[in-house]
Amino acid sequence: MENNNLTINTQVLEQMASMAALEVDGVASMASGPVDIRAIKNGKLAKSAVVTERNGAVTLDLYIKIKENSHAGQVAEAVQKSVREKLQSMTGSAITTVNVIVADVQIAAEA
């Protein structure tokens, strides 16, 4: 991602997005996204956040695990809003799309 003469590595954006998502109430942790066969060949595992940039449009896919008894839709919407606002304020660049995928629910351990 490039902002004027500043270039931000997509891995940094992915880390920033993950940190912002974890601050949202109802998010238990980040989850692993789907495995990309090409990435495995390069020794990379599945990611929790994936940034894609095409023609200046930045798309972010986030895979989260929500807490038990949380409303998935409300948590996902809050994550979208929080991540978009925080990344735009930190980078000065527009985040076109934030896709939040609820990949799992964390169930509290039984005593």
Side-chain angles (χ1 to χ4, degrees):
M1 165 182 242
E2 195 166 318
N3 182 11
N4 295 327
N5 291 325
L6 173 66
T7 300
I8 301 172
N9 187 307
T10 56
Q11 290 176 333
V12 173
L13 286 175
E14 291 165 354
Q15 289 175 328
M16 291 166 54
S18 293
M19 290 185 326
L22 289 170
E23 293 176 359
V24 174
D25 189 39
V27 175
S29 64
M30 299 304 292
S32 295
V35 176
D36 181 356
I37 299 300
R38 293 171 296 197
I40 290 176
K41 289 180 183 178
N42 295 326
K44 297 179 182 176
L45 300 176
K47 296 181 181 182
S48 299
V50 179
V51 172
T52 308
E53 183 180 11
R54 288 194 183 106
N55 302 325
V58 178
T59 300
L60 177 61
D61 295 327
L62 292 172
Y63 299 87
I64 63 170
K65 186 182 289 189
I66 63 171
K67 293 178 182 174
E68 173 180 32
N69 299 323
S70 295
H71 186 280
Q74 291 173 348
V75 173
E77 189 175 320
V79 168
Q80 282 180 318
K81 183 179 179 186
S82 176
V83 168
R84 178 177 280 121
E85 288 175 357
K86 289 182 180 176
L87 262 61
Q88 287 180 170
S89 71
M90 286 190 256
T91 66
S93 296
I95 305 300
T96 311
T97 306
V98 178
N99 299 314
V100 178
I101 299 92
V102 177
D104 201 356
V105 176
Q106 180 177 339
I107 307 296
E110 294 183 24

